[in-house]
Amino acid sequence: QVQLVESGGGLVQAGGSLRLSCAASESIFRINVMGWYRQAPGKQRELVAQIFSAGSTNYAASVKGRFTISRDMAKNTVFLQMNSLQLDDTAVYYCNAHQYQYDFWGQGTQVTVSS
């Protein structure tokens, strides 16, 4: 079982930046897909960004060009750099590890964008 711990959330003004981190309890080299999801109040959880074991990435259309997912294999950590934050980026952000047929989730970190 993979344990994930997110950090880096907080309150930021619109147009600002935040960097989220997700530390995994085991080598992320062995994990098929690492990803970030978010859930805003009253909305379903949605995919934000993914990074596959081979290094390719995938982004939601709403964040493409503003957010960047990356990883540090040596530290078993995945990052989400969020730039040009908008009000509707406000949500709880969750780290996900997808390994074979299993999904593992972190506890979430709150990101609040203010005007």
Side-chain angles (χ1 to χ4, degrees):
Q1 185 161 350
V2 181
Q3 295 181 337
L4 305 169
V5 179
E6 302 103 332
S7 61
L11 175 65
V12 63
Q13 285 191 324
S17 298
L18 280 176
R19 188 194 197 205
L20 305 183
S21 299
C22 171
S25 60
E26 64 179 69
S27 173
I28 60 174
F29 181 77
R30 300 171 53 192
I31 297 174
N32 303 126
V33 189
M34 295 292 298
W36 288 95
Y37 289 71
R38 66 187 182 187
Q39 188 166 18
K43 295 188 177 180
Q44 290 188 330
R45 191 172 297 189
E46 63 176 2
L47 172 68
V48 175
Q50 296 171 302
I51 185 164
F52 296 84
S53 57
S56 60
T57 57
N58 178 49
Y59 295 92
S62 60
V63 307
K64 196 171 291 185
R66 299 188 297 123
F67 291 10
T68 303
I69 189 170
S70 62
R71 62 189 178 184
D72 184 332
M73 293 291 205
K75 296 182 178 179
N76 298 325
T77 301
V78 176
F79 304 98
L80 184 68
Q81 178 66 44
M82 305 185 294
N83 298 328
S84 302
L85 282 161
Q86 303 169 356
L87 294 179
D88 55 7
D89 292 320
T90 295
V92 178
Y93 284 70
Y94 296 92
C95 182
N96 170 268
H98 181 77
Q99 190 171 20
Y100 306 115
Q101 72 271 39
Y102 301 108
D103 276 292
F104 303 96
W105 296 92
Q107 82 286 354
T109 186
Q110 177 71 46
V111 172
T112 303
V113 183
S114 65
S115 58

